[in-house]
PDB file of all heavy atoms in Angstrom:
ATOM      1  N   LEU R   1     -30.876  19.550  18.179  1.00 93.00           N
ATOM      2  CA  LEU R   1     -29.455  19.526  18.524  1.00 93.00           C
ATOM      3  C   LEU R   1     -28.781  18.236  18.065  1.00 93.00           C
ATOM      4  O   LEU R   1     -27.712  18.235  17.496  1.00 93.00           O
ATOM      5  CB  LEU R   1     -29.256  19.681  20.049  1.00 93.00           C
ATOM      6  CG  LEU R   1     -27.824  19.670  20.545  1.00 93.00           C
ATOM      7  CD1 LEU R   1     -27.038  20.825  19.983  1.00 93.00           C
ATOM      8  CD2 LEU R   1     -27.789  19.628  22.068  1.00 93.00           C
ATOM      9  N   VAL R   2     -29.448  17.093  18.313  1.00 90.00           N
ATOM     10  CA  VAL R   2     -28.910  15.792  17.876  1.00 90.00           C
ATOM     11  C   VAL R   2     -28.743  15.747  16.367  1.00 90.00           C
ATOM     12  O   VAL R   2     -27.719  15.307  15.818  1.00 90.00           O
ATOM     13  CB  VAL R   2     -29.777  14.652  18.392  1.00 90.00           C
ATOM     14  CG1 VAL R   2     -29.396  13.319  17.748  1.00 90.00           C
ATOM     15  CG2 VAL R   2     -29.651  14.510  19.902  1.00 90.00           C
ATOM     16  N   LEU R   3     -29.768  16.212  15.639  1.00 91.00           N
ATOM     17  CA  LEU R   3     -29.686  16.188  14.150  1.00 91.00           C
ATOM     18  C   LEU R   3     -28.581  17.080  13.646  1.00 91.00           C
ATOM     19  O   LEU R   3     -27.842  16.687  12.725  1.00 91.00           O
ATOM     20  CB  LEU R   3     -31.035  16.579  13.552  1.00 91.00           C
ATOM     21  CG  LEU R   3     -32.160  15.545  13.749  1.00 91.00           C
ATOM     22  CD1 LEU R   3     -33.479  16.123  13.214  1.00 91.00           C
ATOM     23  CD2 LEU R   3     -31.795  14.260  13.033  1.00 91.00           C
ATOM     24  N   VAL R   4     -28.433  18.289  14.223  1.00 93.00           N
ATOM     25  CA  VAL R   4     -27.394  19.194  13.770  1.00 93.00           C
ATOM     26  C   VAL R   4     -26.026  18.557  14.044  1.00 93.00           C
ATOM     27  O   VAL R   4     -25.140  18.607  13.166  1.00 93.00           O
ATOM     28  CB  VAL R   4     -27.514  20.572  14.485  1.00 93.00           C
ATOM     29  CG1 VAL R   4     -26.290  21.405  14.305  1.00 93.00           C
ATOM     30  CG2 VAL R   4     -28.754  21.314  13.959  1.00 93.00           C
ATOM     31  N   VAL R   5     -25.836  18.017  15.205  1.00 89.00           N
ATOM     32  CA  VAL R   5     -24.546  17.410  15.559  1.00 89.00           C
ATOM     33  C   VAL R   5     -24.237  16.238  14.622  1.00 89.00           C
ATOM     34  O   VAL R   5     -23.113  16.116  14.118  1.00 89.00           O
ATOM     35  CB  VAL R   5     -24.517  16.942  17.029  1.00 89.00           C
ATOM     36  CG1 VAL R   5     -23.349  16.047  17.321  1.00 89.00           C
ATOM     37  CG2 VAL R   5     -24.496  18.164  17.947  1.00 89.00           C
ATOM     38  N   LEU R   6     -25.191  15.387  14.360  1.00 84.00           N
ATOM     39  CA  LEU R   6     -24.967  14.244  13.492  1.00 84.00           C
ATOM     40  C   LEU R   6     -24.627  14.649  12.063  1.00 84.00           C
ATOM     41  O   LEU R   6     -23.715  14.103  11.446  1.00 84.00           O
ATOM     42  CB  LEU R   6     -26.201  13.309  13.480  1.00 84.00           C
ATOM     43  CG  LEU R   6     -26.421  12.479  14.747  1.00 84.00           C
ATOM     44  CD1 LEU R   6     -27.709  11.727  14.662  1.00 84.00           C
ATOM     45  CD2 LEU R   6     -25.256  11.581  15.008  1.00 84.00           C
ATOM     46  N   VAL R   7     -25.323  15.644  11.555  1.00 89.00           N
ATOM     47  CA  VAL R   7     -25.054  16.120  10.167  1.00 89.00           C
ATOM     48  C   VAL R   7     -23.672  16.766  10.117  1.00 89.00           C
ATOM     49  O   VAL R   7     -22.879  16.474   9.230  1.00 89.00           O
ATOM     50  CB  VAL R   7     -26.132  17.107   9.726  1.00 89.00           C
ATOM     51  CG1 VAL R   7     -25.720  17.842   8.446  1.00 89.00           C
ATOM     52  CG2 VAL R   7     -27.415  16.363   9.501  1.00 89.00           C
ATOM     53  N   LEU R   8     -23.366  17.632  11.109  1.00 90.00           N
ATOM     54  CA  LEU R   8     -22.051  18.299  11.099  1.00 90.00           C
ATOM     55  C   LEU R   8     -20.908  17.304  11.270  1.00 90.00           C
ATOM     56  O   LEU R   8     -19.906  17.388  10.566  1.00 90.00           O
ATOM     57  CB  LEU R   8     -21.996  19.373  12.198  1.00 90.00           C
ATOM     58  CG  LEU R   8     -22.791  20.615  11.983  1.00 90.00           C
ATOM     59  CD1 LEU R   8     -22.713  21.535  13.181  1.00 90.00           C
ATOM     60  CD2 LEU R   8     -22.280  21.344  10.730  1.00 90.00           C
ATOM     61  N   LEU R   9     -21.061  16.360  12.198  1.00 83.00           N
ATOM     62  CA  LEU R   9     -19.974  15.413  12.414  1.00 83.00           C
ATOM     63  C   LEU R   9     -19.766  14.479  11.217  1.00 83.00           C
ATOM     64  O   LEU R   9     -18.632  14.112  10.918  1.00 83.00           O
ATOM     65  CB  LEU R   9     -20.239  14.598  13.682  1.00 83.00           C
ATOM     66  CG  LEU R   9     -20.049  15.336  14.998  1.00 83.00           C
ATOM     67  CD1 LEU R   9     -20.369  14.411  16.200  1.00 83.00           C
ATOM     68  CD2 LEU R   9     -18.667  15.913  15.121  1.00 83.00           C
ATOM     69  N   SER R  10     -20.837  14.094  10.533  1.00 80.00           N
ATOM     70  CA  SER R  10     -20.659  13.254   9.381  1.00 80.00           C
ATOM     71  C   SER R  10     -19.904  13.986   8.274  1.00 80.00           C
ATOM     72  O   SER R  10     -19.073  13.438   7.583  1.00 80.00           O
ATOM     73  CB  SER R  10     -21.994  12.707   8.859  1.00 80.00           C
ATOM     74  OG  SER R  10     -22.754  13.734   8.328  1.00 80.00           O
ATOM     75  N   ARG R  11     -20.193  15.292   8.094  1.00 82.00           N
ATOM     76  CA  ARG R  11     -19.491  16.078   7.113  1.00 82.00           C
ATOM     77  C   ARG R  11     -18.036  16.270   7.475  1.00 82.00           C
ATOM     78  O   ARG R  11     -17.116  16.183   6.624  1.00 82.00           O
ATOM     79  CB  ARG R  11     -20.167  17.444   6.901  1.00 82.00           C
ATOM     80  CG  ARG R  11     -21.484  17.282   6.179  1.00 82.00           C
ATOM     81  CD  ARG R  11     -22.110  18.590   5.832  1.00 82.00           C
ATOM     82  NE  ARG R  11     -23.360  18.374   5.140  1.00 82.00           N
ATOM     83  CZ  ARG R  11     -24.267  19.280   4.967  1.00 82.00           C
ATOM     84  NH1 ARG R  11     -24.074  20.497   5.414  1.00 82.00           N
ATOM     85  NH2 ARG R  11     -25.402  18.971   4.328  1.00 82.00           N
ATOM     86  N   ILE R  12     -17.768  16.592   8.745  1.00 82.00           N
ATOM     87  CA  ILE R  12     -16.399  16.736   9.212  1.00 82.00           C
ATOM     88  C   ILE R  12     -15.638  15.422   9.044  1.00 82.00           C
ATOM     89  O   ILE R  12     -14.483  15.431   8.622  1.00 82.00           O
ATOM     90  CB  ILE R  12     -16.369  17.217  10.711  1.00 82.00           C
ATOM     91  CG1 ILE R  12     -16.869  18.675  10.776  1.00 82.00           C
ATOM     92  CG2 ILE R  12     -14.978  17.081  11.301  1.00 82.00           C
ATOM     93  CD1 ILE R  12     -17.118  19.131  12.203  1.00 82.00           C
ATOM     94  N   ASP R  13     -16.255  14.286   9.378  1.00 71.00           N
ATOM     95  CA  ASP R  13     -15.615  13.009   9.254  1.00 71.00           C
ATOM     96  C   ASP R  13     -15.200  12.743   7.796  1.00 71.00           C
ATOM     97  O   ASP R  13     -14.117  12.280   7.522  1.00 71.00           O
ATOM     98  CB  ASP R  13     -16.561  11.908   9.738  1.00 71.00           C
ATOM     99  CG  ASP R  13     -15.897  10.557   9.750  1.00 71.00           C
ATOM    100  OD1 ASP R  13     -14.747  10.476  10.234  1.00 71.00           O
ATOM    101  OD2 ASP R  13     -16.515   9.576   9.282  1.00 71.00           O
ATOM    102  N   ARG R  14     -16.074  13.088   6.864  1.00 70.00           N
ATOM    103  CA  ARG R  14     -15.754  12.867   5.448  1.00 70.00           C
ATOM    104  C   ARG R  14     -14.599  13.806   4.998  1.00 70.00           C
ATOM    105  O   ARG R  14     -13.773  13.434   4.198  1.00 70.00           O
ATOM    106  CB  ARG R  14     -16.951  13.114   4.545  1.00 70.00           C
ATOM    107  CG  ARG R  14     -17.815  11.894   4.454  1.00 70.00           C
ATOM    108  CD  ARG R  14     -18.973  12.152   3.548  1.00 70.00           C
ATOM    109  NE  ARG R  14     -19.858  12.985   4.337  1.00 70.00           N
ATOM    110  CZ  ARG R  14     -21.049  13.393   3.972  1.00 70.00           C
ATOM    111  NH1 ARG R  14     -21.494  13.128   2.796  1.00 70.00           N
ATOM    112  NH2 ARG R  14     -21.807  14.113   4.761  1.00 70.00           N
ATOM    113  N   LEU R  15     -14.545  15.011   5.520  1.00 71.00           N
ATOM    114  CA  LEU R  15     -13.474  15.944   5.154  1.00 71.00           C
ATOM    115  C   LEU R  15     -12.125  15.519   5.750  1.00 71.00           C
ATOM    116  O   LEU R  15     -11.110  15.599   5.085  1.00 71.00           O
ATOM    117  CB  LEU R  15     -13.803  17.355   5.631  1.00 71.00           C
ATOM    118  CG  LEU R  15     -14.931  18.071   4.891  1.00 71.00           C
ATOM    119  CD1 LEU R  15     -15.255  19.416   5.580  1.00 71.00           C
ATOM    120  CD2 LEU R  15     -14.557  18.300   3.433  1.00 71.00           C
ATOM    121  N   VAL R  16     -12.168  15.106   6.990  1.00 66.00           N
ATOM    122  CA  VAL R  16     -10.917  14.776   7.692  1.00 66.00           C
ATOM    123  C   VAL R  16     -10.362  13.426   7.257  1.00 66.00           C
ATOM    124  O   VAL R  16      -9.153  13.297   7.015  1.00 66.00           O
ATOM    125  CB  VAL R  16     -11.162  14.756   9.220  1.00 66.00           C
ATOM    126  CG1 VAL R  16      -9.951  14.189   9.968  1.00 66.00           C
ATOM    127  CG2 VAL R  16     -11.444  16.164   9.694  1.00 66.00           C
ATOM    128  N   ASP R  17     -11.194  12.448   7.101  1.00 58.00           N
ATOM    129  CA  ASP R  17     -10.712  11.091   6.843  1.00 58.00           C
ATOM    130  C   ASP R  17     -10.954  10.716   5.384  1.00 58.00           C
ATOM    131  O   ASP R  17     -11.818   9.938   5.055  1.00 58.00           O
ATOM    132  CB  ASP R  17     -11.410  10.083   7.759  1.00 58.00           C
ATOM    133  CG  ASP R  17     -10.697   8.733   7.756  1.00 58.00           C
ATOM    134  OD1 ASP R  17      -9.568   8.659   7.247  1.00 58.00           O
ATOM    135  OD2 ASP R  17     -11.270   7.795   8.277  1.00 58.00           O
ATOM    136  N   ARG R  18     -10.130  11.232   4.522  1.00 55.00           N
ATOM    137  CA  ARG R  18     -10.223  10.910   3.058  1.00 55.00           C
ATOM    138  C   ARG R  18      -9.272   9.792   2.689  1.00 55.00           C
ATOM    139  O   ARG R  18      -9.062   9.557   1.536  1.00 55.00           O
ATOM    140  CB  ARG R  18      -9.973  12.151   2.246  1.00 55.00           C
ATOM    141  CG  ARG R  18     -11.056  13.174   2.377  1.00 55.00           C
ATOM    142  CD  ARG R  18     -10.839  14.330   1.488  1.00 55.00           C
ATOM    143  NE  ARG R  18     -11.954  15.252   1.641  1.00 55.00           N
ATOM    144  CZ  ARG R  18     -12.667  15.700   0.678  1.00 55.00           C
ATOM    145  NH1 ARG R  18     -12.429  15.348  -0.567  1.00 55.00           N
ATOM    146  NH2 ARG R  18     -13.696  16.511   0.891  1.00 55.00           N
ATOM    147  N   ARG R  19      -8.692   9.178   3.659  1.00 55.00           N
ATOM    148  CA  ARG R  19      -7.773   8.087   3.407  1.00 55.00           C
ATOM    149  C   ARG R  19      -8.593   6.828   3.053  1.00 55.00           C
ATOM    150  O   ARG R  19      -9.739   6.683   3.450  1.00 55.00           O
ATOM    151  CB  ARG R  19      -6.894   7.843   4.597  1.00 55.00           C
ATOM    152  CG  ARG R  19      -6.026   9.064   4.951  1.00 55.00           C
ATOM    153  CD  ARG R  19      -5.255   8.825   6.168  1.00 55.00           C
ATOM    154  NE  ARG R  19      -6.148   8.740   7.316  1.00 55.00           N
ATOM    155  CZ  ARG R  19      -5.733   8.546   8.540  1.00 55.00           C
ATOM    156  NH1 ARG R  19      -4.468   8.421   8.835  1.00 55.00           N
ATOM    157  NH2 ARG R  19      -6.577   8.490   9.518  1.00 55.00           N
ATOM    158  N   HIS R  20      -7.940   5.904   2.342  1.00 61.00           N
ATOM    159  CA  HIS R  20      -8.600   4.690   1.914  1.00 61.00           C
ATOM    160  C   HIS R  20      -8.266   3.549   2.877  1.00 61.00           C
ATOM    161  O   HIS R  20      -7.229   3.531   3.497  1.00 61.00           O
ATOM    162  CB  HIS R  20      -8.113   4.319   0.506  1.00 61.00           C
ATOM    163  CG  HIS R  20      -8.382   5.389  -0.471  1.00 61.00           C
ATOM    164  ND1 HIS R  20      -9.622   5.625  -1.007  1.00 61.00           N
ATOM    165  CD2 HIS R  20      -7.592   6.306  -1.070  1.00 61.00           C
ATOM    166  CE1 HIS R  20      -9.573   6.649  -1.860  1.00 61.00           C
ATOM    167  NE2 HIS R  20      -8.311   7.075  -1.899  1.00 61.00           N
ATOM    168  N   LEU R  21      -9.156   2.579   2.936  1.00 72.00           N
ATOM    169  CA  LEU R  21      -8.922   1.392   3.740  1.00 72.00           C
ATOM    170  C   LEU R  21      -8.345   0.289   2.871  1.00 72.00           C
ATOM    171  O   LEU R  21      -8.815   0.101   1.719  1.00 72.00           O
ATOM    172  CB  LEU R  21     -10.227   0.906   4.370  1.00 72.00           C
ATOM    173  CG  LEU R  21     -10.817   1.812   5.423  1.00 72.00           C
ATOM    174  CD1 LEU R  21     -12.176   1.224   5.874  1.00 72.00           C
ATOM    175  CD2 LEU R  21      -9.890   1.936   6.612  1.00 72.00           C
ATOM    176  N   GLU R  22      -7.380  -0.386   3.375  1.00 80.00           N
ATOM    177  CA  GLU R  22      -6.767  -1.482   2.655  1.00 80.00           C
ATOM    178  C   GLU R  22      -6.603  -2.630   3.648  1.00 80.00           C
ATOM    179  O   GLU R  22      -6.379  -2.471   4.815  1.00 80.00           O
ATOM    180  CB  GLU R  22      -5.372  -1.079   2.161  1.00 80.00           C
ATOM    181  CG  GLU R  22      -5.325   0.091   1.259  1.00 80.00           C
ATOM    182  CD  GLU R  22      -5.751  -0.178  -0.167  1.00 80.00           C
ATOM    183  OE1 GLU R  22      -5.791  -1.379  -0.536  1.00 80.00           O
ATOM    184  OE2 GLU R  22      -6.058   0.758  -0.879  1.00 80.00           O
ATOM    185  N   ALA R  23      -6.661  -3.844   3.104  1.00 87.00           N
ATOM    186  CA  ALA R  23      -6.314  -5.040   3.850  1.00 87.00           C
ATOM    187  C   ALA R  23      -5.096  -5.675   3.198  1.00 87.00           C
ATOM    188  O   ALA R  23      -5.119  -5.895   1.983  1.00 87.00           O
ATOM    189  CB  ALA R  23      -7.490  -6.004   3.896  1.00 87.00           C
ATOM    190  N   VAL R  24      -4.099  -5.950   3.973  1.00 90.00           N
ATOM    191  CA  VAL R  24      -2.885  -6.572   3.439  1.00 90.00           C
ATOM    192  C   VAL R  24      -2.711  -7.909   4.203  1.00 90.00           C
ATOM    193  O   VAL R  24      -2.686  -7.933   5.431  1.00 90.00           O
ATOM    194  CB  VAL R  24      -1.637  -5.696   3.645  1.00 90.00           C
ATOM    195  CG1 VAL R  24      -0.383  -6.434   3.195  1.00 90.00           C
ATOM    196  CG2 VAL R  24      -1.795  -4.385   2.865  1.00 90.00           C
ATOM    197  N   ARG R  25      -2.675  -8.980   3.445  1.00 91.00           N
ATOM    198  CA  ARG R  25      -2.541 -10.292   4.002  1.00 91.00           C
ATOM    199  C   ARG R  25      -1.157 -10.849   3.703  1.00 91.00           C
ATOM    200  O   ARG R  25      -0.716 -10.802   2.566  1.00 91.00           O
ATOM    201  CB  ARG R  25      -3.563 -11.217   3.373  1.00 91.00           C
ATOM    202  CG  ARG R  25      -3.618 -12.596   3.945  1.00 91.00           C
ATOM    203  CD  ARG R  25      -4.881 -13.302   3.541  1.00 91.00           C
ATOM    204  NE  ARG R  25      -5.049 -14.387   2.662  1.00 91.00           N
ATOM    205  CZ  ARG R  25      -4.168 -15.229   2.094  1.00 91.00           C
ATOM    206  NH1 ARG R  25      -2.949 -15.047   2.162  1.00 91.00           N
ATOM    207  NH2 ARG R  25      -4.503 -16.223   1.364  1.00 91.00           N
ATOM    208  N   VAL R  26      -0.453 -11.246   4.748  1.00 92.00           N
ATOM    209  CA  VAL R  26       0.900 -11.763   4.581  1.00 92.00           C
ATOM    210  C   VAL R  26       0.986 -13.150   5.269  1.00 92.00           C
ATOM    211  O   VAL R  26       0.301 -13.397   6.210  1.00 92.00           O
ATOM    212  CB  VAL R  26       1.981 -10.832   5.152  1.00 92.00           C
ATOM    213  CG1 VAL R  26       1.994  -9.481   4.426  1.00 92.00           C
ATOM    214  CG2 VAL R  26       1.835 -10.654   6.628  1.00 92.00           C
ATOM    215  N   VAL R  27       1.831 -13.975   4.700  1.00 92.00           N
ATOM    216  CA  VAL R  27       2.152 -15.248   5.342  1.00 92.00           C
ATOM    217  C   VAL R  27       3.651 -15.269   5.588  1.00 92.00           C
ATOM    218  O   VAL R  27       4.433 -15.057   4.654  1.00 92.00           O
ATOM    219  CB  VAL R  27       1.719 -16.446   4.452  1.00 92.00           C
ATOM    220  CG1 VAL R  27       2.119 -17.759   5.085  1.00 92.00           C
ATOM    221  CG2 VAL R  27       0.208 -16.411   4.194  1.00 92.00           C
ATOM    222  N   VAL R  28       4.060 -15.437   6.844  1.00 91.00           N
ATOM    223  CA  VAL R  28       5.459 -15.408   7.227  1.00 91.00           C
ATOM    224  C   VAL R  28       5.733 -16.581   8.207  1.00 91.00           C
ATOM    225  O   VAL R  28       4.805 -17.201   8.700  1.00 91.00           O
ATOM    226  CB  VAL R  28       5.835 -14.071   7.909  1.00 91.00           C
ATOM    227  CG1 VAL R  28       5.704 -12.908   6.969  1.00 91.00           C
ATOM    228  CG2 VAL R  28       5.011 -13.848   9.145  1.00 91.00           C
TER     229      VAL R  28
END
């Protein structure tokens, strides 16, 4: 059960969150 859940959730996570991470640094 744990292995099935981990595999399924990692695939769902990759499908749902295809957005990129960015860091924006500002000085104000």
Side-chain angles (χ1 to χ4, degrees):
L1 179 65
V2 168
L3 289 175
V4 166
V5 167
L6 288 175
V7 168
L8 287 176
L9 287 179
S10 68
R11 288 186 180 165
I12 290 170
D13 186 45
R14 276 182 284 185
L15 289 173
V16 170
D17 194 13
R18 291 185 179 234
R19 299 176 293 180
H20 303 283
L21 292 175
E22 302 283 343
V24 175
R25 185 165 112 6
V26 299
V27 176
V28 295

